[in-house]
Amino acid sequence: MDAGSTDKTAGRSGKGKRAGRRARGLAPVDRDGVWHCHGTVRAGGRSIRIRTSLGLPVGRTSEDAALAECRRIESEIIAEATGQRTPGAYVSVAAADYLTRTRERPLGKTTVDIVQEIVRTFGLRRLNEIPEEEWHRHVDQRQKGNAPATRERYLNALLGFLKFCQGKRHRLDQLPDFHRDKKARNPNRRARRRVQELRPDLIARLLNAAHITLRAQMAVEWSTGARVSSVLHGCRICDLILAEGREQITFHDTKNGNPVNAALHPSAAAILREYVAWRGRLHEREAPLFLTPKRRPYKDNGRAWGTQNKKGFNGAKERAAQTLLDDAVIEAGKIRDVAKRETFLKAAEADAQLLLTVTQHWFRHMLASRMLRMGDLRSAMDQGGWLDVKSVIPYAHDVPDYRRSVVSNFDDFGKFLTQEESEKEANT
């Protein structure tokens, strides 16, 4: 053989294959100090090429352990390709994907907390290896003693995560079947608030007892029915219009994700004019409209429990209730009749107790009740940012006096019935 010639069989095995070629299947490969899974899997009549990191450091993980992980991945691919049941992804892996996924509207803090709680309980388990009964026990234990509506909200977050886990990405085969409380999920009415008892004079007391920044917020909530989160974080200086006859405010951080342009009542606009004079720095058009009493922006807590102005609101309620009682004592001193004086004081105590019960969310219920009472459903939905009738109707509270007045104005057949009875008497 010439020295310059090339032996075509060199570097090949006795069967004609290149020396060192791996057999079909997956094998661990060291890349930059991390084990990777490389190879090709034949399953379901097709070849599936795999190039993925195992996330296992070479220095702390043996090659045998990395090979075992490759074999596990291979068996799952074959099972999935041939229609067999797979154990699914680890709960912790699926949760990390769910929580870090880019969304148009980020997940609320409550939902994030629930998913993280699921990870603490089931994180090292495979999705399809968790029996339905275990999911039931988890929910029952976690929601023991809670109201049905609270349980339904928890299930909404849990099932939202598990639905995400279905499909090729995390391979959850079937959702657990929970008993759902239809009435708690879609109540005909929200929890009853005594909004019909919250008279204008009591609202004025509440506003007078608040710092100007909180007074302006409550005036907006009373006029628009906006949620506290929308008021604190959903509007900038440029979103407020106080021109006479065109008073309105726009909220961007709303629950339905759409901007809401809400009209402002003249009394609310007057308070807002006082507020912007106190706030100052109106040239910062993109800055948050509402600031704390220390002139700092409110910190967004991701719709967690409670609100950032709750302490100030509770303080305003207590001051309003106390001034109401103090004024009632002075007025009661002018009443000579003992029985009337006692009745007057009891009524004042009831009003004070009502003020201590009020929350800012009452104003949303009040808006729905007032506007639907006027028969303008479309305006109520636009003003409060409700997208459908099923959302706004539960917020409306029945006002018996108004309902009675509506019924009293029905076309009356009574006069005709009276004439008929008179004719019968005359004929007899």
Side-chain angles (χ1 to χ4, degrees):
M1 182 181 295
D2 295 337
S5 66
T6 303
D7 185 357
K8 295 183 180 180
T9 62
R12 293 178 179 269
S13 66
K15 296 183 179 180
K17 293 184 179 180
R18 287 197 308 271
R21 182 178 178 181
R22 286 193 298 265
R24 286 195 183 116
L26 305 182
V29 176
D30 178 359
R31 292 189 61 184
D32 300 325
V34 178
W35 287 117
H36 283 62
C37 181
H38 282 206
T40 301
V41 179
R42 296 274 304 176
R46 59 194 180 97
S47 297
I48 303 171
R49 188 169 180 263
I50 303 297
R51 298 288 187 275
T52 185
S53 170
L54 297 177
L56 303 174
V58 173
R60 289 183 291 173
T61 309
S62 67
E63 185 173 0
D64 288 341
L67 180 60
E69 182 67 10
C70 291
R71 292 288 178 263
R72 181 192 63 77
I73 293 174
E74 183 175 346
S75 63
E76 289 187 8
I77 292 173
I78 293 173
E80 185 175 351
T82 56
Q84 301 176 32
R85 179 181 174 85
T86 66
Y90 288 103
V91 173
S92 57
V93 173
D97 187 16
Y98 182 69
L99 295 176
T100 57
R101 178 149 299 212
T102 302
R103 294 176 173 82
E104 184 176 345
R105 283 181 57 79
L107 294 172
K109 186 177 185 303
T110 302
T111 300
V112 172
D113 290 344
I114 289 173
V115 174
Q116 290 176 343
E117 178 185 81
I118 293 169
V119 171
R120 289 192 295 271
T121 305
F122 301 105
L124 299 179
R125 304 274 299 278
R126 296 298 191 93
L127 285 164
N128 290 325
E129 293 176 350
I130 304 173
E132 184 174 291
E133 296 75 16
E134 199 165 345
W135 286 114
H136 288 176
R137 286 197 300 272
H138 170 75
V139 173
D140 291 343
Q141 181 180 2
R142 182 63 181 81
Q143 294 299 305
K144 185 177 181 180
N146 288 344
T150 304
R151 181 179 184 274
E152 290 302 316
R153 288 192 293 270
Y154 187 90
L155 285 175
N156 287 341
L158 170 61
L159 290 174
F161 165 61
L162 293 181
K163 286 179 182 177
F164 170 82
C165 295
Q166 290 184 303
K168 292 184 177 180
R169 180 175 293 273
H170 300 298
R171 305 183 301 281
L172 174 63
D173 289 341
Q174 188 174 0
L175 293 175
D177 184 19
F178 293 100
H179 170 71
R180 305 302 300 268
D181 190 326
K182 186 177 180 180
K183 185 176 180 180
R185 292 179 70 188
N186 300 294
N188 291 328
R189 294 192 184 279
R190 301 285 177 180
R192 180 175 173 81
R193 272 83 168 176
R194 296 160 60 190
V195 295
Q196 68 273 18
E197 300 176 35
L198 193 58
R199 306 186 307 270
D201 61 298
L202 297 179
I203 296 175
R205 282 188 177 274
L206 191 57
L207 293 173
N208 287 332
H211 186 275
I212 181 57
T213 184
L214 181 59
R215 188 187 314 154
Q217 294 167 33
M218 287 192 287
V220 169
E221 292 158 5
W222 171 83
S223 187
T224 67
R227 292 180 173 85
V228 178
S229 59
S230 296
V231 173
L232 298 186
H233 311 296
C235 52
R236 305 156 297 177
I237 292 175
C238 60
D239 294 318
L240 176 65
I241 298 176
L242 291 176
E244 189 171 351
R246 297 193 298 113
E247 299 93 338
Q248 76 170 38
I249 190 169
T250 301
F251 304 106
H252 297 281
D253 186 15
T254 63
K255 191 172 182 179
N256 62 37
N258 298 327
V260 174
N261 297 313
L264 289 170
H265 188 278
S267 294
I271 293 175
L272 282 165
R273 291 188 184 98
E274 180 184 354
Y275 166 72
V276 295
W278 171 86
R279 186 195 186 284
R281 305 188 69 173
L282 302 182
H283 60 282
E284 300 174 348
R285 303 290 293 165
E286 297 295 323
L289 175 60
F290 290 105
L291 303 178
T292 68
K294 295 183 179 180
R295 288 187 170 88
R296 297 172 183 169
Y298 286 93
K299 185 178 180 181
D300 192 353
N301 64 0
R303 292 186 175 85
W305 294 279
T307 54
Q308 297 84 349
N309 62 6
K310 191 172 184 178
K311 183 177 180 179
F313 183 74
N314 288 338
K317 291 195 300 183
E318 293 170 2
R319 289 190 294 273
Q322 189 59 53
T323 56
L324 187 151
L325 292 175
D326 293 343
D327 292 344
V329 170
I330 296 173
E331 291 298 320
K334 302 175 183 178
I335 302 174
R336 294 185 177 182
D337 187 287
V338 176
K340 290 183 178 179
R341 184 164 60 246
E342 290 297 324
T343 301
F344 179 81
L345 288 173
K346 287 182 179 179
E349 290 174 359
D351 286 342
Q353 189 60 42
L354 177 65
L355 282 174
L356 294 174
T357 308
V358 172
T359 67
Q360 290 169 273
H361 201 64
W362 278 35
F363 294 123
R364 188 163 180 80
H365 290 255
M366 181 177 287
L367 174 85
S369 300
R370 287 183 309 200
M371 298 197 74
L372 291 185
R373 186 174 64 186
M374 297 174 183
D376 196 341
L377 177 60
R378 180 72 265 170
S379 293
M381 293 172 62
D382 291 342
Q383 181 76 350
W386 288 288
L387 294 181
D388 56 68
V389 176
K390 289 183 179 180
S391 298
V392 64
I393 290 298
Y395 277 95
H397 295 269
D398 183 31
V399 182
D401 290 340
Y402 174 77
R403 181 161 44 86
R404 191 176 297 107
S405 68
V406 172
V407 173
S408 298
N409 288 327
F410 286 174
D411 293 335
D412 190 10
F413 58 80
K415 59 182 180 180
F416 301 106
L417 180 63
T418 302
Q419 292 175 357
E420 185 178 345
E421 292 291 338
S422 299
E423 290 176 0
K424 287 182 179 180
E425 291 178 1
N427 292 332
T428 56

